[in-house]
Amino acid sequence: MINRFCKHQLWEVTPTLVAVAQGLQPADTVIKGAKLVNVCTAEIQEGIDVAIARGRIAYVGASADHCIGDETTVIEAGGAYIAPGFLDGHIHVESSMLGVTEYARATVAHGTTGIYMDPHEICNVLGLDGVKIMDEDARRVPLKTMITTPSCVPAVPGFEDTGSAIGPDDIAETMTWDSVVGLGEMMNFPGILSGSDHAHGEVAETLKRGYAVTGHYSLPETDRGLNAYIASGICCCHESTRAVDALEKMRHGMYAMMREGSAWHDLAALAPVIADGKVDSRFAVLVSDDNHPNTLVEKGHLDYLIRRAMEEGIDAVTAIQMCTINCATCFKMNDDLGSIAPGKCADIVFIKDLESIEVTRVLIDGEVVAENGKVLFDPEPFAYPEWAVHSVHIKDPITPASFAIAPGELDPDATEVTVRVIGVMGGRVDDEERRANIAVEGGEIRSDVENDILKTFVFERHHETGTFGFGLTQGFGIKRGAMASTVAHDAHNLLVVGTNDDDMAIAANTLIESEGGMVVVADGEILGHVPLPIAGLMNDLPAEEMSRLVGKLEEAWAEIGCSMPSPFMTMALIPLACLPDLRLTNRGLVDCNTFQFVDLLVEE
């Protein structure tokens, strides 16, 4: 694979590496006296030296003294552990609300040296031009930002309106980019299973290049459908929420990406698959998927995931393998990444001990890029073009009257109706379709705060079509106020949930004025607001400042009664029509098991 993620391609430097390994030429850098976490054999080797030349590893052994010359930099490990740089196999940088530069600042010091980024959030808003912006920003930092081209824009065609659309021809174009290493999560599993030319065409363009096709199979089914999905060429999936899902994927040669992000906490359910050591863990990968900035600042990134895996009974070496060699192999990049071995890129993490997984130093391509929790790079802020910071386009003025739910099929004399309700649950990506009896007043359905049933609206915000969908949501537990967000997967239209029309209108208009973001409003007052003017998804503020704003936002959620973790992430999935059971897009309610639009009212 020819890419831009190595300082030098291996074929360019083999004579140098061979000479350095034999002591015929001095190394650029030598690490002495380390305890090597050998992910190739699952061993801890003590007293190991590593010699580095031209960004790659030339020698790993008992003594690299023969590799040291007058100009060689010697790093005394002092018995610290060294491991390959950590790799996140599935991540949406936009969900951190940070640009790639700030994301790198927040993660590299925690041992993250590479990420497999699926920028489908910005692509849904700005198309491939948005992906190019992310790539341009990424080139300014040492973090290896591998792109998997967004495959599902929109996520499920025909059920929502996005800012852009991607097809097989677009995929073919991006497969020639030096930053692209695969296809982003194929959420359109109905298209794969039904033989859609569009979905299979995107997969084919990726397979032609020999690149990885990443998956998203969220059905609780492990037989015919799963077999068919894997047979299409898809190599991994991060949507396992049950142990049996992960196990069957691994048994079928699919990489089970075990997710632990700010809101999606799947490790507790999935870790037992490999924790007892009875099942080979080579097809298990740790991923974060979505992280808020306060999670990155307060807890860390992949170092935190390793600690979480250890808490769930997975031993430290196995957990490290899950975000190094296993991940690199999944993406067919293990010739360059994922292990500390001759010929590999010198991406190396120093770890104080295997209990705390405290990262003390990070090397990327042999260069020290972070020490003692601080990164050593500081590029200028990225300059986003004007068209990227003006992306909220609502056709009609939003007023309290915009939130009237008066379905045309509603009996004008009705005082109570049975309705479908989206039931959300904290820490989980799935929801459930519920039924409820709800009062009708003046020909309108209103929020039933006592029973935690809230009005929910999605307004199209890309092309000023004026379309919107409405429904009811249960599970947030708020007692007053409203919440709104332009982070609303995956079309990222304007999403509003609330107890009353006045606060819902204030929340919506606040985000229109700030060109996107997240907000909590109660009794006419803005309690928390995170402006996200870059595509309505991100801000260019430092991670620490974004962490403060998000922390204040979560305090506002708690103030109005919500106790679930990272509730805005749970809320943001309400429109995602590729996850079961019931979702709401700007076109209406979608049954995501049958993939049909359904009415709010349930026929008796």
Side-chain angles (χ1 to χ4, degrees):
M1 176 181 289
I2 303 299
N3 57 60
R4 67 174 182 82
F5 304 111
C6 307
K7 187 174 183 179
H8 296 286
Q9 301 298 322
L10 181 58
W11 57 265
E12 296 177 300
V13 297
T14 52
T16 299
L17 298 180
V18 168
V20 170
Q22 298 178 87
L24 305 176
Q25 183 174 325
D28 298 327
T29 302
V30 166
I31 300 169
K32 290 194 62 64
K35 297 175 184 175
L36 171 64
V37 180
N38 192 322
V39 296
C40 300
T41 56
E43 295 178 280
I44 303 296
Q45 294 179 267
E46 299 202 13
I48 294 296
D49 290 0
V50 178
I52 299 166
R54 302 190 71 181
R56 288 184 178 262
I57 296 167
Y59 171 90
V60 181
S63 175
D65 289 347
H66 63 291
C67 304
I68 298 174
D70 293 340
E71 303 299 321
T72 301
T73 298
V74 177
I75 299 175
E76 295 288 349
Y81 292 85
I82 58 172
F86 302 152
L87 304 170
D88 194 332
H90 182 71
I91 180 68
H92 308 290
V93 168
E94 307 98 307
S95 293
S96 71
M97 296 178 265
L98 306 170
V100 182
T101 295
E102 283 303 322
Y103 187 85
R105 292 185 208 264
T107 59
V108 168
H110 290 282
T112 302
T113 60
I115 58 173
Y116 292 88
M117 173 179 75
D118 182 353
H120 71 206
E121 321 299 358
I122 199 167
C123 193
N124 268 278
V125 180
L126 302 176
L128 289 180
D129 286 339
V131 177
K132 290 176 181 177
I133 290 174
M134 301 287 282
D135 187 22
E136 186 179 346
D137 190 11
R139 291 173 186 267
R140 305 172 329 117
V141 292
L143 176 68
K144 295 182 177 180
T145 307
M146 283 76 74
I147 293 176
T148 59
T149 304
S151 64
C152 296
V153 180
V156 184
F159 289 92
E160 62 187 350
D161 291 291
T162 58
S164 185
I166 297 296
D169 290 344
D170 301 301
I171 299 301
E173 175 197 336
T174 66
M175 290 299 146
T176 66
W177 298 359
D178 66 356
S179 53
V180 169
V181 301
L183 187 67
E185 56 179 305
M186 177 49 72
M187 294 178 285
N188 187 12
F189 56 84
I192 293 294
L193 299 187
S194 65
S196 157
D197 289 342
H198 185 278
H200 281 271
E202 292 188 338
V203 171
E205 293 299 337
T206 310
L207 295 177
K208 287 176 188 177
R209 295 284 298 190
Y211 287 174
V213 180
T214 68
H216 172 120
Y217 191 74
S218 57
L219 292 179
E221 186 275 342
T222 58
D223 190 37
R224 296 183 185 184
L226 179 60
N227 273 271
Y229 190 70
I230 297 172
S232 74
I234 296 170
C235 69
C236 60
C237 177
H238 61 280
E239 286 295 337
S240 301
T241 58
R242 307 177 304 167
V244 66
D245 298 329
L247 179 58
E248 287 304 318
K249 288 167 185 172
M250 293 166 66
R251 283 173 170 169
H252 288 73
M254 172 179 264
Y255 285 85
M257 292 181 161
M258 300 185 180
R259 172 175 52 194
E260 190 79 1
S262 292
W264 329 130
H265 303 160
D266 296 326
L267 262 179
L270 304 182
V273 172
I274 55 174
D276 62 8
K278 294 180 181 179
V279 174
D280 194 311
S281 61
R282 76 181 72 181
F283 283 100
V285 177
L286 286 173
V287 301
S288 60
D289 197 358
D290 292 321
N291 270 325
H292 271 173
N294 50 342
T295 301
L296 297 175
V297 170
E298 296 169 10
K299 296 181 178 179
H301 186 215
L302 291 168
D303 56 338
Y304 170 63
L305 267 63
I306 293 169
R307 290 190 289 271
R308 280 288 300 118
M310 292 165 61
E311 290 171 358
E312 298 297 339
I314 298 174
D315 70 87
V317 174
T318 299
I320 291 171
Q321 288 175 313
M322 290 169 68
C323 60
T324 55
I325 194 168
N326 293 9
C327 183
T329 305
C330 172
F331 286 93
K332 307 177 186 180
M333 295 182 71
N334 50 306
D335 285 346
D336 291 322
L337 308 177
S339 60
I340 295 178
K344 306 299 190 275
C345 292
D347 301 341
I348 299 173
V349 174
F350 285 66
I351 303 171
K352 182 179 179 180
D353 56 64
L354 295 185
E355 288 73 45
S356 67
I357 313 296
E358 180 184 341
V359 175
T360 59
R361 181 185 287 116
V362 181
L363 279 68
I364 296 180
D365 290 329
E367 302 291 333
V368 178
V369 294
E371 284 189 310
N372 300 317
K374 302 293 183 182
V375 296
L376 304 180
F377 52 90
D378 188 27
E380 291 294 317
F382 184 69
Y384 289 91
E386 279 296 304
W387 52 266
V389 294
H390 297 290
S391 65
V392 178
H393 309 291
I394 303 292
K395 180 180 180 181
D396 301 311
I398 293 182
T399 68
S402 303
F403 297 96
I405 297 182
E409 64 271 28
L410 186 64
D411 184 338
D413 297 324
T415 58
E416 184 178 84
V417 291
T418 302
V419 294
R420 290 180 171 86
V421 177
I422 300 171
V424 300
M425 296 162 281
R428 295 174 58 174
V429 298
D430 55 331
D431 68 15
E432 58 185 18
E433 179 178 332
R434 299 171 184 169
R435 305 292 171 90
N437 293 326
I438 196 164
V440 177
E441 300 177 18
E444 293 184 22
I445 296 171
R446 303 185 185 280
S447 294
D448 181 356
V449 180
E450 183 178 347
N451 292 303
D452 190 23
I453 299 175
L454 308 176
K455 283 185 178 183
T456 305
F457 278 70
V458 178
F459 298 91
E460 193 277 328
R461 64 108 166 168
H462 304 293
H463 305 294
E464 296 182 287
T465 64
T467 58
F468 64 90
F470 56 78
L472 297 163
T473 305
Q474 185 179 49
F476 288 112
I478 70 169
K479 305 302 181 186
R480 60 193 182 100
M483 309 85 68
S485 178
T486 53
V487 179
H489 301 292
D490 273 339
H492 299 294
N493 288 307
L494 175 58
L495 169 64
V496 189
V497 179
T499 64
N500 68 87
D501 299 346
D502 290 339
D503 283 341
M504 292 174 78
I506 293 172
N509 284 304
T510 298
L511 297 190
I512 293 170
E513 293 168 8
S514 66
E515 289 290 348
M518 301 176 177
V519 67
V520 172
V521 175
D523 304 322
E525 179 185 356
I526 297 172
L527 302 183
H529 178 208
V530 180
L532 301 173
I534 304 166
L537 302 171
M538 299 177 289
N539 200 308
D540 58 3
L541 291 172
E544 292 78 11
E545 177 63 13
M546 290 300 292
S547 175
R548 186 190 68 78
L549 289 174
V550 172
K552 185 175 180 180
L553 192 72
E554 292 194 343
E555 290 173 5
W557 271 86
E559 186 176 339
I560 62 175
C562 182
S563 60
M564 69 171 57
S566 296
F568 262 104
M569 282 195 168
T570 300
M571 176 177 157
L573 295 186
I574 288 173
L576 188 50
C578 62
L579 290 174
D581 284 335
L582 184 66
R583 303 285 163 172
L584 174 67
T585 75
N586 69 293
R587 295 192 185 187
L589 283 169
V590 183
D591 182 326
C592 297
N593 296 309
T594 64
F595 290 95
Q596 295 178 328
F597 286 106
V598 293
D599 294 328
L600 177 64
L601 303 184
V602 178
E603 294 184 6
E604 298 293 343

